[in-house]
Amino acid sequence: MKIKPIYYHSMALTGFFGLFVLLMLWPTILTPSSHLPVALVLLITVTPLLLPIRGLLNGNRKSCAWAAYISLIYFMHGSAEAYVNTDEHLYASLEIMLSLMLFLGSTFYVRFSGKHS
């Protein structure tokens, strides 16, 4: 049984938009920071995720590869946050799961979508 590349692309998009929503809600509604302005936190956390969005939505293999690389930043952040801050363990675990969905979906989409771009 062979899985179609569109399913991997859907998994990558689910991880991407889930991560985007989580990163928008975490510093604003769920646990706002008292040390840093919310706008600065959003700028730092969400901007790298927005870089490959156009190509990712269009299924561009190169953009999907870059999205996989960028997702590793969020995986590292979620892992560190889960280890350091036990109060936000749930959000960090969700960030880890969504970044892995983005990484695996993008990687498998690039691998199995063929040589066209």
Side-chain angles (χ1 to χ4, degrees), residues 39-107:
L40 178 65
V41 173
L42 288 176
L43 186 68
I44 291 170
T45 58
V46 176
T47 302
L49 196 60
L50 295 177
L51 293 175
I53 189 170
R54 182 174 178 194
L56 185 66
L57 289 173
N58 291 331
N60 184 325
R61 294 176 69 228
K62 209 176 266 191
S63 296
C64 288
W66 276 106
Y69 298 140
I70 291 171
S71 73
L72 295 176
I73 297 169
Y74 297 103
F75 177 77
M76 289 187 301
H77 176 262
S79 299
E81 198 69 38
Y83 180 75
V84 171
N85 194 351
T86 57
D87 295 338
E88 299 177 15
H89 184 73
L90 175 67
Y91 306 134
S93 299
L94 193 57
E95 183 178 13
I96 292 169
M97 184 191 69
L98 291 169
S99 65
L100 282 176
M101 281 180 67
L102 176 57
F103 177 78
L104 294 173
S106 297
T107 303

Coordinates of all heavy atoms in Angstrom, one line a residue, residues 39-107:
A39 N 4.0 41.8 21.8 CA 4.3 42.0 20.4 C 5.7 41.5 20.1 O 6.0 40.9 19.0 CB 4.2 43.5 20.1
L40 N 6.7 41.7 21.0 CA 8.0 41.3 20.8 C 8.1 39.7 20.8 O 8.8 39.1 19.9 CB 9.0 41.8 21.8 CG 10.4 41.4 21.7 CD1 11.1 41.9 20.4 CD2 11.2 41.9 22.9
V41 N 7.4 39.1 21.7 CA 7.4 37.7 21.8 C 6.7 37.1 20.5 O 7.3 36.1 19.9 CB 6.6 37.2 23.0 CG1 6.4 35.7 23.0 CG2 7.3 37.7 24.3
L42 N 5.7 37.7 20.0 CA 5.0 37.2 18.8 C 5.9 37.4 17.6 O 6.0 36.5 16.7 CB 3.7 37.9 18.6 CG 2.6 37.5 19.5 CD1 1.3 38.4 19.3 CD2 2.2 36.1 19.4
L43 N 6.6 38.5 17.6 CA 7.5 38.8 16.4 C 8.6 37.7 16.4 O 9.0 37.2 15.3 CB 8.1 40.2 16.6 CG 9.0 40.7 15.4 CD1 8.1 40.9 14.2 CD2 9.6 42.0 15.8
I44 N 9.2 37.4 17.5 CA 10.3 36.5 17.6 C 9.8 35.0 17.3 O 10.5 34.3 16.6 CB 11.0 36.5 19.0 CG1 11.7 37.9 19.1 CG2 12.0 35.4 19.1 CD1 12.3 38.2 20.5
T45 N 8.7 34.7 17.8 CA 8.3 33.3 17.7 C 7.5 33.0 16.4 O 7.7 31.8 15.9 CB 7.4 32.9 18.9 OG1 6.2 33.7 18.9 CG2 8.1 32.9 20.2
V46 N 6.8 33.9 15.9 CA 5.9 33.5 14.7 C 6.6 33.9 13.4 O 6.4 33.2 12.4 CB 4.6 34.3 14.8 CG1 3.7 34.1 13.6 CG2 3.8 33.8 16.1
T47 N 7.5 34.8 13.3 CA 8.1 35.3 12.1 C 8.8 34.1 11.3 O 8.6 34.0 10.1 CB 9.0 36.5 12.3 OG1 8.3 37.5 12.9 CG2 9.7 36.9 11.0
P48 N 9.7 33.3 12.0 CA 10.3 32.2 11.2 C 9.3 31.3 10.6 O 9.6 30.7 9.5 CB 11.2 31.5 12.2 CG 11.4 32.5 13.3 CD 10.2 33.4 13.3
L49 N 8.2 31.1 11.3 CA 7.2 30.2 10.7 C 6.5 30.7 9.5 O 6.1 29.9 8.6 CB 6.2 29.9 11.8 CG 5.3 28.7 11.7 CD1 6.1 27.4 11.6 CD2 4.3 28.6 12.8
L50 N 6.5 32.0 9.3 CA 5.8 32.6 8.2 C 6.7 32.7 6.9 O 6.1 32.9 5.8 CB 5.3 34.0 8.6 CG 4.3 34.1 9.6 CD1 3.9 35.5 9.9 CD2 3.0 33.3 9.2
L51 N 7.9 32.4 7.0 CA 8.8 32.5 5.9 C 8.5 31.6 4.7 O 8.4 32.0 3.6 CB 10.3 32.4 6.3 CG 10.8 33.5 7.2 CD1 12.3 33.1 7.7 CD2 10.8 34.8 6.5
P52 N 8.2 30.3 5.0 CA 7.9 29.4 3.9 C 6.4 29.2 3.6 O 6.0 28.3 2.9 CB 8.5 28.1 4.3 CG 8.3 28.1 5.8 CD 8.5 29.5 6.2
I53 N 5.6 30.1 4.1 CA 4.1 29.8 4.0 C 3.6 29.7 2.6 O 2.8 28.9 2.3 CB 3.3 30.8 4.9 CG1 1.9 30.3 5.0 CG2 3.4 32.2 4.4 CD1 1.0 31.1 6.0
R54 N 4.0 30.6 1.8 CA 3.4 30.7 0.4 C 3.8 29.4 -0.4 O 2.9 28.8 -1.0 CB 4.0 31.9 -0.3 CG 3.4 32.0 -1.7 CD 3.9 33.3 -2.3 NE 3.4 33.4 -3.7 CZ 3.8 34.3 -4.6 NH1 4.7 35.1 -4.2 NH2 3.3 34.3 -5.8
G55 N 5.0 29.0 -0.3 CA 5.4 27.8 -1.0 C 4.9 26.5 -0.4 O 4.5 25.6 -1.1
L56 N 4.7 26.6 0.9 CA 4.1 25.4 1.6 C 2.7 25.2 1.2 O 2.2 24.1 1.0 CB 4.3 25.6 3.2 CG 3.8 24.4 4.0 CD1 4.8 23.2 3.8 CD2 3.9 24.8 5.5
L57 N 1.9 26.3 1.1 CA 0.5 26.2 0.7 C 0.4 25.7 -0.7 O -0.5 25.0 -1.1 CB -0.2 27.5 0.9 CG -0.4 28.0 2.3 CD1 -0.9 29.4 2.3 CD2 -1.4 27.1 3.0
N58 N 1.4 26.1 -1.6 CA 1.3 25.7 -3.0 C 1.9 24.3 -3.2 O 1.9 23.8 -4.3 CB 2.0 26.7 -3.9 CG 1.3 28.0 -3.9 OD1 0.1 28.0 -3.8 ND2 2.0 29.1 -4.1
G59 N 2.5 23.7 -2.2 CA 3.2 22.4 -2.4 C 4.5 22.5 -3.0 O 5.0 21.4 -3.6
N60 N 5.2 23.6 -3.0 CA 6.5 23.7 -3.5 C 7.5 22.9 -2.7 O 7.6 23.0 -1.4 CB 6.9 25.2 -3.5 CG 8.3 25.4 -4.1 OD1 9.2 24.6 -4.0 ND2 8.4 26.6 -4.8
R61 N 8.2 22.0 -3.3 CA 9.1 21.1 -2.6 C 10.2 21.8 -1.8 O 10.6 21.4 -0.7 CB 9.7 20.0 -3.5 CG 8.6 19.1 -4.1 CD 9.1 18.2 -5.2 NE 10.0 17.2 -4.5 CZ 11.2 16.9 -4.9 NH1 11.7 17.4 -6.0 NH2 11.9 16.0 -4.3
K62 N 10.7 22.8 -2.4 CA 11.8 23.6 -1.8 C 11.3 24.3 -0.5 O 12.0 24.3 0.5 CB 12.4 24.6 -2.7 CG 13.9 24.9 -2.5 CD 14.4 25.8 -3.5 CE 15.1 25.0 -4.6 NZ 15.8 25.8 -5.6
S63 N 10.2 24.9 -0.6 CA 9.6 25.5 0.6 C 9.2 24.5 1.7 O 9.3 24.8 2.9 CB 8.3 26.3 0.2 OG 8.7 27.4 -0.7
C64 N 8.8 23.3 1.3 CA 8.4 22.3 2.2 C 9.7 21.8 2.9 O 9.7 21.5 4.1 CB 7.7 21.1 1.5 SG 6.1 21.5 1.0
A65 N 10.8 21.7 2.2 CA 12.1 21.4 2.8 C 12.5 22.4 3.9 O 12.9 22.1 5.0 CB 13.1 21.2 1.8
W66 N 12.3 23.7 3.5 CA 12.7 24.8 4.5 C 11.8 24.8 5.7 O 12.2 25.0 6.8 CB 12.7 26.1 3.8 CG 14.0 26.4 3.1 CD1 14.2 26.3 1.7 CD2 15.2 26.7 3.7 NE1 15.6 26.6 1.5 CE2 16.2 26.8 2.7 CE3 15.6 26.8 5.0 CZ2 17.5 27.1 3.0 CZ3 16.9 27.1 5.3 CH2 17.9 27.3 4.3
A67 N 10.5 24.5 5.4 CA 9.6 24.4 6.6 C 10.0 23.2 7.5 O 9.8 23.4 8.7 CB 8.1 24.1 6.1
A68 N 10.5 22.1 7.0 CA 11.0 21.1 7.8 C 12.2 21.5 8.7 O 12.2 21.2 9.8 CB 11.4 19.8 7.0
Y69 N 13.1 22.3 8.0 CA 14.2 22.8 8.8 C 13.8 23.7 9.9 O 14.3 23.7 11.0 CB 15.2 23.5 7.9 CG 15.8 22.6 6.8 CD1 16.0 23.1 5.5 CD2 16.2 21.3 7.1 CE1 16.6 22.3 4.6 CE2 16.8 20.5 6.1 CZ 16.9 21.0 4.9 OH 17.5 20.2 3.9
I70 N 12.9 24.6 9.6 CA 12.4 25.6 10.5 C 11.6 25.0 11.7 O 11.7 25.4 12.8 CB 11.5 26.7 9.8 CG1 12.4 27.5 8.9 CG2 10.8 27.6 10.8 CD1 11.7 28.5 8.0
S71 N 10.9 23.9 11.4 CA 10.2 23.2 12.4 C 11.1 22.6 13.5 O 10.7 22.5 14.7 CB 9.3 22.1 11.8 OG 10.1 21.0 11.5
L72 N 12.3 22.4 13.2 CA 13.3 21.9 14.2 C 13.6 22.9 15.3 O 13.8 22.5 16.4 CB 14.6 21.4 13.5 CG 14.4 20.2 12.6 CD1 15.7 19.9 11.9 CD2 13.9 19.0 13.3
I73 N 13.5 24.2 15.0 CA 13.6 25.2 16.0 C 12.5 25.1 17.0 O 12.8 25.2 18.2 CB 13.6 26.6 15.3 CG1 14.8 26.8 14.3 CG2 13.6 27.7 16.3 CD1 14.6 28.0 13.4
Y74 N 11.3 24.9 16.5 CA 10.2 24.8 17.4 C 10.2 23.5 18.2 O 9.8 23.5 19.4 CB 8.9 25.0 16.7 CG 8.8 26.3 16.0 CD1 9.0 26.5 14.7 CD2 8.5 27.4 16.8 CE1 8.9 27.8 14.1 CE2 8.5 28.7 16.2 CZ 8.7 28.8 14.9 OH 8.6 30.1 14.3
F75 N 10.8 22.5 17.6 CA 10.9 21.2 18.4 C 11.9 21.4 19.5 O 11.7 21.0 20.7 CB 11.4 20.1 17.5 CG 11.7 18.8 18.2 CD1 10.7 18.0 18.5 CD2 13.0 18.4 18.5 CE1 10.9 16.8 19.2 CE2 13.3 17.3 19.2 CZ 12.2 16.4 19.5
M76 N 13.0 22.1 19.3 CA 14.0 22.4 20.3 C 13.4 23.3 21.4 O 13.6 23.1 22.6 CB 15.3 23.0 19.7 CG 16.1 22.1 18.9 SD 17.7 22.7 18.4 CE 17.2 24.1 17.4
H77 N 12.7 24.3 21.0 CA 12.0 25.2 22.0 C 11.1 24.5 22.8 O 11.0 24.6 24.1 CB 11.4 26.4 21.3 CG 10.6 27.3 22.2 ND1 9.3 27.1 22.4 CD2 11.0 28.3 23.0 CE1 8.9 28.0 23.3 NE2 9.9 28.7 23.7
G78 N 10.2 23.6 22.2 CA 9.2 22.9 23.0 C 9.9 21.9 24.0 O 9.5 21.7 25.1
S79 N 11.0 21.2 23.5 CA 11.7 20.3 24.4 C 12.3 21.0 25.6 O 12.2 20.5 26.7 CB 12.8 19.6 23.6 OG 12.2 18.9 22.5
A80 N 13.0 22.1 25.3 CA 13.6 22.9 26.4 C 12.5 23.4 27.4 O 12.7 23.4 28.6 CB 14.4 24.1 25.8
E81 N 11.4 23.9 26.8 CA 10.3 24.5 27.6 C 9.7 23.4 28.5 O 9.4 23.6 29.7 CB 9.3 25.2 26.8 CG 8.4 26.1 27.5 CD 9.1 27.4 28.0 OE1 9.9 27.9 27.2 OE2 8.7 27.8 29.0
A82 N 9.5 22.2 27.9 CA 9.0 21.1 28.7 C 9.9 20.7 29.8 O 9.4 20.3 30.9 CB 8.7 19.9 27.8
Y83 N 11.2 20.8 29.6 CA 12.1 20.4 30.6 C 12.3 21.4 31.7 O 12.3 21.1 32.9 CB 13.5 20.1 30.0 CG 14.6 19.7 31.0 CD1 14.6 18.4 31.5 CD2 15.6 20.6 31.3 CE1 15.6 18.0 32.4 CE2 16.5 20.2 32.2 CZ 16.6 18.9 32.7 OH 17.5 18.6 33.6
V84 N 12.3 22.7 31.3 CA 12.5 23.8 32.3 C 11.3 24.2 33.1 O 11.3 24.4 34.3 CB 13.2 25.0 31.5 CG1 13.3 26.2 32.4 CG2 14.5 24.6 31.0
N85 N 10.2 24.4 32.4 CA 9.0 25.0 32.9 C 7.9 23.9 33.1 O 7.2 23.7 32.1 CB 8.6 26.2 32.1 CG 7.6 27.0 32.8 OD1 7.1 26.7 33.8 ND2 7.3 28.1 32.2
T86 N 7.7 23.4 34.2 CA 6.7 22.3 34.4 C 5.3 22.9 34.4 O 4.4 22.1 34.1 CB 7.0 21.6 35.7 OG1 6.9 22.5 36.8 CG2 8.3 20.9 35.7
D87 N 5.1 24.2 34.6 CA 3.8 24.8 34.6 C 3.2 24.8 33.2 O 2.0 24.7 33.0 CB 3.8 26.2 35.1 CG 4.2 26.3 36.6 OD1 4.0 25.2 37.3 OD2 4.6 27.3 37.0
E88 N 4.1 24.9 32.2 CA 3.6 24.9 30.8 C 3.9 23.7 30.0 O 4.2 23.7 28.8 CB 4.2 26.2 30.1 CG 3.8 27.5 30.8 CD 4.5 28.7 30.2 OE1 5.1 28.6 29.1 OE2 4.5 29.7 30.8
H89 N 4.0 22.5 30.7 CA 4.3 21.3 30.1 C 3.4 20.9 29.0 O 3.8 20.3 28.0 CB 4.4 20.2 31.2 CG 4.9 18.9 30.7 ND1 6.2 18.6 30.4 CD2 4.2 17.7 30.5 CE1 6.3 17.4 30.0 NE2 5.1 16.8 30.1
L90 N 2.1 21.1 29.2 CA 1.1 20.8 28.2 C 1.3 21.5 26.9 O 1.3 20.9 25.8 CB -0.3 21.0 28.7 CG -1.5 20.8 27.8 CD1 -1.6 19.3 27.4 CD2 -2.8 21.3 28.3
Y91 N 1.5 22.8 27.0 CA 1.7 23.6 25.8 C 3.0 23.2 25.1 O 3.1 23.2 23.8 CB 1.7 25.1 26.1 CG 0.5 25.6 26.9 CD1 0.6 26.4 28.0 CD2 -0.7 25.2 26.5 CE1 -0.5 26.8 28.7 CE2 -1.9 25.6 27.2 CZ -1.7 26.4 28.3 OH -2.8 26.8 29.0
A92 N 4.1 23.0 25.9 CA 5.3 22.6 25.3 C 5.2 21.2 24.6 O 5.8 21.0 23.5 CB 6.4 22.5 26.4
S93 N 4.5 20.3 25.2 CA 4.3 19.0 24.6 C 3.5 19.1 23.3 O 3.7 18.4 22.3 CB 3.5 18.0 25.5 OG 4.3 17.9 26.7
L94 N 2.5 20.0 23.3 CA 1.7 20.3 22.0 C 2.6 20.9 21.0 O 2.5 20.5 19.8 CB 0.6 21.2 22.4 CG -0.5 21.4 21.3 CD1 -1.1 20.0 21.0 CD2 -1.6 22.3 21.9
E95 N 3.5 21.8 21.4 CA 4.5 22.4 20.4 C 5.4 21.3 19.8 O 5.7 21.3 18.6 CB 5.3 23.4 21.1 CG 6.2 24.1 20.1 CD 7.0 25.3 20.8 OE1 7.0 25.4 22.0 OE2 7.7 26.0 20.0
I96 N 5.8 20.4 20.6 CA 6.7 19.3 20.2 C 5.9 18.4 19.2 O 6.4 18.1 18.1 CB 7.2 18.4 21.3 CG1 8.2 19.2 22.2 CG2 7.8 17.1 20.8 CD1 8.5 18.5 23.5
M97 N 4.7 18.1 19.5 CA 3.9 17.2 18.6 C 3.6 17.9 17.3 O 3.7 17.3 16.2 CB 2.6 16.8 19.3 CG 1.7 15.9 18.5 SD 0.1 15.7 19.1 CE -0.6 17.3 18.7
L98 N 3.2 19.2 17.3 CA 2.9 19.9 16.1 C 4.1 20.1 15.2 O 4.1 20.0 14.0 CB 2.2 21.2 16.4 CG 0.8 21.0 17.0 CD1 0.3 22.4 17.5 CD2 -0.2 20.5 16.0
S99 N 5.3 20.4 15.8 CA 6.5 20.6 15.1 C 6.9 19.3 14.4 O 7.5 19.3 13.3 CB 7.6 21.2 15.9 OG 8.0 20.3 17.0
L100 N 6.7 18.2 15.1 CA 7.0 16.9 14.5 C 6.1 16.5 13.4 O 6.5 16.0 12.4 CB 7.0 15.8 15.6 CG 8.2 15.7 16.5 CD1 7.9 14.6 17.5 CD2 9.4 15.4 15.7
M101 N 4.8 16.9 13.5 CA 3.9 16.7 12.4 C 4.3 17.5 11.2 O 4.3 17.0 10.0 CB 2.5 17.2 12.8 CG 1.7 16.2 13.6 SD 0.1 16.8 14.0 CE -0.7 16.8 12.4
L102 N 4.8 18.8 11.4 CA 5.2 19.6 10.3 C 6.5 19.0 9.7 O 6.7 19.0 8.5 CB 5.5 21.0 10.8 CG 6.1 22.0 9.8 CD1 5.2 22.2 8.6 CD2 6.3 23.4 10.5
F103 N 7.4 18.6 10.5 CA 8.7 18.1 10.1 C 8.5 16.8 9.2 O 9.0 16.7 8.1 CB 9.6 17.8 11.2 CG 10.9 17.1 10.8 CD1 11.9 17.9 10.2 CD2 11.1 15.8 11.0 CE1 13.1 17.3 9.8 CE2 12.3 15.2 10.6 CZ 13.3 16.0 10.0
L104 N 7.8 15.8 9.8 CA 7.6 14.5 9.1 C 6.7 14.7 7.9 O 7.0 14.1 6.8 CB 7.0 13.5 10.1 CG 7.9 13.1 11.2 CD1 7.1 12.2 12.2 CD2 9.1 12.4 10.7
G105 N 5.7 15.5 8.0 CA 4.8 15.7 6.8 C 5.6 16.4 5.7 O 5.5 15.9 4.5
S106 N 6.4 17.4 6.0 CA 7.1 18.1 4.9 C 8.2 17.2 4.4 O 8.4 17.1 3.2 CB 7.8 19.3 5.5 OG 6.8 20.2 5.9
T107 N 8.9 16.5 5.2 CA 10.0 15.6 4.8 C 9.5 14.5 3.9 O 10.0 14.2 2.8 CB 10.7 15.0 6.0 OG1 11.2 16.0 6.8 CG2 11.9 14.1 5.6

